[in-house]
Amino acid sequence: MSDEVFKQFKEHSVAEFFKKNRQMLGFSGKVRSLTMIVHELVTNSLDACEETGILPEVFVQVEELGTDHYQLTIKDNGPGIPKSHLGKALGQMLAGTKFHRYVQQRGQQGIGAAACTMFSYITTGQSTKAISACSGKKFTANIAIDFVKNKAVVEEIEEVPTDENGLTVISEFKDVKYERSNYGVYEYLRRTALANPNCSITLIEPNKQRVTFPRSVEQNPPRPVEIKPHPLGIGTHDLLEFAKRSKESKKISPFLTETFARMSAGKVEELKNMLPTVDFNKNPSDMSWEDAEAIVKAFGQVKWIAPATDSLVPIGKTQVEASFRNIFNPEVLVITERSPKVYRGGIPFMVEVGIAYGGGVAAAEKRGEVMRFANRVPLLFDSGGCAITETIKTIDWKRYDIKNFDEEPIAVLVNLISVHVPYTSAGKQAISNEEDVMDEIKFAIMEASRSIQKYLSGKRRANEIANKKKVVTRYIQQLSSDLSILSGEKKDDIQKRLTKIIEDKYGGEEELAQGEGKGNEEETVPTEKEEDEENGE
Ligand SMILES: Nc1ncnc2c1ncn2[C@@H]1O[C@H](COP(=O)(O)OP(=O)(O)OP(=O)(O)O)[C@@H](O)[C@H]1O
Ligand SMILES: [Mg+2]
């Protein structure tokens, strides 16, 4: 019987897997699928430009060829891709320059571009045209995927000299739809522009309308520093992999100092003393599972310096503020600037939060709006399971004078920055519920909310005082004339004195209340104790 069953036993490639499970790459629904394609190709353009110090200029054109049938052109002014790597970059899954590195980038898997080539091919039977201008040559090719082998099929078209740089990708898609909805390409690019003020984006919509999102900053953000993995962020198998791949070091000791961050010779000595049974003079390629397990266990017992934080580059307070004012012009706006933290023991990350309330948020009829970003990339989908959305749900908004988050004119922007964003799936639209990450998102939101609360309670008090003043003032006339009869003093004098008493009492309080209301000018940073208390600890 089992022999019969095992006649069905077959091997599959990752390309075949994703062809069958394209929803795992985010390709589900017509509008969403088109946005996902634009997302993959635009993030690649921005990564490539920033990595090579070029101010990004991205051109996106969507042309309608028939019902649910479009041609998409995406062109950038980046470095292009060398001819030798073009096929692999666009036609092979799990291939690229980012997966193996610890550097803050938008892409991290080596799947996105090939996934677009795949989606085009399986919905239209057409290959993807790539024009790569790189190092003085412009190379044009049609690229498809051999799904069984997960290999690119490249048909060369021409190679001519050029003095330009950049990559253009032209492909056709069916089962997709262009729409100016909250989940469409337009909204995606608008949010991309918001979080990437250094980039200029042009969109030509199917109705030929040209939309430009001009850059508002004339230089790229500082380049995030590439770091080595931190000892606390890896497991036994990771260590073994590193050891097997190590070429330079002939012994475990130098291998450790060369491979990991914060691994000084002193720390290696400490590890040696803790592990007398492990031979640190062994060639790393001879490291056994037991050695690796013991070393990783010892990593957990040593006191390490936290990973370097210049590996993280946020959008920045000034820019988040400018972008928010630009889209909403809210009544009050608070942006947090918090220090980097670490999750899973060794992966650095940072959370920046902006909260806008009232004014233009109300005018735009936005209620409880959440704008999620990861490494400056807008996350439009899968909000349900995302750490950002989940954390926002756990906040006790009433504490901050927000009675019902979903009904108030409030917009919250959260950007998670990391050398490795823990996405829930290959579609990269939601952040997994890592405890350290969720805690930090919570603290950052609470910090911003406290200033919003100060503003709102100040405003409420000012209203209450103004009302009281109005009520009391109403009685002055009558009271002055009654007192004048009783005391024989002039009514006008009494009225003046009573008015002064009221001014002295309520005028001062009013000013005080308004002063409290200036939430966006005052920073309140919670202490660790406050954070713990609010976290119910
Ligand atoms: N516009 C571009 N300019 C230059 N190089 C590019 C461009 N697009 C893709 N590449 C190269 O092709 C590789 C593969 O891209 P792909 O989108 O498949 O993966 P990734 O960006 O590394 O990770 P992810 O799957 O998370 O997007 C990239 O790592 C990069 O080296
Ligand atoms: Mg990519």
Side-chain angles (χ1 to χ4, degrees):
M1 177 63 187
S2 69
D3 285 354
E4 277 305 305
V5 172
F6 279 88
K7 279 184 186 153
Q8 293 293 333
F9 193 91
K10 282 186 183 158
E11 289 177 27
H12 307 284
S13 80
V14 62
E16 285 179 297
F17 175 80
F18 279 123
K19 181 181 160 196
K20 199 166 181 181
N21 294 294
R22 66 194 208 194
Q23 76 288 349
M24 287 185 187
L25 297 169
F27 296 130
S28 55
K30 293 174 186 171
V31 176
R32 174 179 175 149
S33 294
L34 189 62
T35 306
M36 287 304 296
I37 296 158
V38 170
H39 152 77
E40 293 298 354
L41 297 174
V42 169
T43 47
N44 281 350
S45 294
L46 297 184
D47 272 347
C49 286
E50 288 180 4
E51 184 162 21
T52 47
I54 298 168
L55 264 179
E57 251 176 69
V58 184
F59 171 88
V60 179
Q61 179 162 22
V62 188
E63 292 162 278
E64 194 167 0
L65 303 179
T67 309
D68 300 342
H69 184 189
Y70 293 80
Q71 175 167 294
L72 182 72
T73 303
I74 299 201
K75 182 177 192 299
D76 66 48
N77 62 334
I81 302 176
K83 183 179 171 181
S84 54
H85 288 77
L86 188 64
K88 282 193 177 179
L90 300 187
Q92 182 174 330
M93 294 202 171
L94 293 178
T97 49
K98 305 174 201 170
F99 180 73
H100 49 283
R101 289 161 71 195
Y102 286 78
V103 59
Q104 176 190 328
Q105 289 184 107
R106 296 166 182 84
Q108 58 184 37
Q109 302 174 155
I111 300 178
C116 298
T117 305
M118 171 199 93
F119 194 65
S120 166
Y121 192 67
I122 62 176
T123 57
T124 67
Q126 302 290 320
S127 35
T128 288
K129 185 171 184 178
I131 306 160
S132 174
C134 177
S135 311
K137 286 185 190 137
K138 188 152 97 179
F139 176 63
T140 306
N142 283 332
I143 298 171
I145 304 179
D146 176 335
F147 286 97
V148 176
K149 296 191 186 130
N150 181 29
K151 282 264 151 58
V153 181
V154 181
E155 181 205 338
E156 291 193 22
I157 298 177
E158 63 169 13
E159 190 172 27
V160 292
T162 183
D163 49 14
E164 289 171 19
N165 272 325
L167 182 73
T168 307
V169 178
I170 306 168
S171 24
E172 260 184 51
F173 300 93
K174 281 189 181 169
D175 282 351
V176 295
K177 192 170 179 189
Y178 186 88
E179 208 178 79
R180 256 208 197 194
S181 67
N182 281 345
Y183 302 105
V185 171
Y186 177 92
E187 180 61 16
Y188 176 82
L189 293 178
R190 193 179 72 90
R191 291 195 187 197
T192 301
L194 193 149
N196 298 271
N198 59 319
C199 91
S200 139
I201 306 175
T202 304
L203 164 67
I204 308 224
E205 299 183 278
N207 63 4
K208 304 278 184 264
Q209 189 161 331
R210 190 185 189 91
V211 185
T212 45
F213 301 97
R215 71 168 59 90
S216 55
V217 171
E218 287 302 321
Q219 69 192 52
N220 281 346
R223 192 72 211 121
V225 173
E226 184 163 357
I227 55 169
K228 292 176 179 174
H230 191 275
L232 291 180
I234 64 151
T236 304
H237 193 262
D238 301 322
L239 178 59
L240 263 187
E241 287 277 295
F242 282 125
K244 302 277 176 234
R245 271 193 264 133
S246 156
K247 290 199 180 80
E248 274 129 52
S249 317
K250 298 277 172 278
K251 293 178 180 173
I252 289 181
S253 303
F255 154 73
L256 289 176
T257 50
E258 271 153 33
T259 309
F260 297 104
R262 309 307 197 196
M263 183 75 74
S264 60
K267 289 287 170 209
V268 176
E269 273 314 301
E270 225 176 289
L271 291 167
K272 273 187 188 167
N273 292 336
M274 290 165 80
L275 303 167
T277 54
V278 177
D279 176 8
F280 279 73
N281 287 323
K282 221 190 232 184
N283 192 304
S285 59
D286 295 331
M287 189 187 283
S288 67
W289 176 269
E290 287 70 26
D291 293 336
E293 204 166 45
I295 294 173
V296 167
K297 193 165 170 216
F299 282 171
Q301 290 155 2
V302 170
K303 229 178 151 20
W304 298 101
I305 304 175
T309 51
D310 50 359
S311 56
L312 304 174
V313 178
I315 304 171
K317 187 172 175 158
T318 323
Q319 192 47 50
V320 175
E321 194 167 335
S323 299
F324 252 137
R325 293 228 177 272
N326 200 10
I327 40 170
F328 290 133
N329 200 17
E331 183 183 336
V332 57
L333 175 62
V334 185
I335 289 128
T336 60
E337 272 182 318
R338 289 173 64 86
S339 54
K341 302 281 174 334
V342 167
Y343 76 93
R344 285 189 213 157
I347 306 175
F349 75 100
M350 196 173 171
V351 173
E352 58 185 344
V353 164
I355 302 187
Y357 186 91
V361 184
E365 296 192 355
K366 298 284 182 194
R367 298 281 179 270
E369 169 106 328
V370 179
M371 302 170 93
R372 299 174 294 133
F373 292 85
N375 285 352
R376 296 164 177 252
V377 177
L379 310 178
L380 291 189
F381 307 101
D382 301 342
S383 66
C386 179
I388 295 176
T389 329
E390 291 293 308
T391 307
I392 288 179
K393 275 193 214 149
T394 68
I395 304 261
D396 181 8
W397 289 100
K398 288 194 198 75
R399 276 180 93 123
Y400 305 106
D401 272 341
I402 312 276
K403 282 185 211 79
N404 186 341
F405 180 79
D406 294 323
E407 285 171 16
E408 300 230 14
I410 184 168
V412 180
L413 174 150
V414 179
N415 181 32
L416 174 78
I417 310 140
S418 182
V419 296
H420 177 80
V421 177
Y423 290 113
T424 54
S425 80
K428 296 184 294 185
Q429 288 297 307
I431 295 158
S432 77
N433 293 359
E434 293 279 342
E435 210 180 314
D436 297 330
V437 173
M438 288 182 90
D439 280 352
E440 180 57 16
I441 295 174
K442 188 167 181 178
F443 296 150
I445 294 177
M446 283 179 353
E447 182 183 321
S449 304
R450 249 175 242 131
S451 301
I452 294 282
Q453 192 257 341
K454 266 192 166 184
Y455 173 82
L456 292 178
S457 69
K459 195 172 143 182
R460 201 187 54 224
R461 260 193 77 194
N463 278 341
E464 281 167 11
I465 292 164
N467 281 340
K468 258 193 211 162
K469 197 172 148 187
K470 224 159 112 194
V471 171
V472 177
T473 311
R474 235 186 268 149
Y475 293 104
I476 289 186
Q477 284 273 357
Q478 188 60 47
L479 191 62
S480 310
S481 78
D482 291 351
L483 285 174
S484 170
I485 295 165
L486 286 175
S487 66
E489 282 192 42
K490 273 190 184 166
K491 184 191 161 195
D492 279 0
D493 288 346
I494 297 174
Q495 192 166 331
K496 264 186 207 151
R497 276 159 63 197
L498 282 176
T499 309
K500 183 159 187 319
I501 292 171
I502 291 167
E503 274 305 322
D504 285 351
K505 176 161 174 57
Y506 292 116
E509 280 193 31
E510 203 172 33
E511 270 164 33
L512 199 74
Q514 276 165 359
E516 278 177 21
K518 289 177 185 163
N520 51 342
E521 285 170 20
E522 223 170 307
E523 286 290 334
T524 39
V525 182
T527 60
E528 292 292 326
K529 188 168 168 279
E530 272 179 306
E531 288 178 350
D532 288 349
E533 277 168 8
E534 299 206 18
N535 206 25
E537 279 167 23

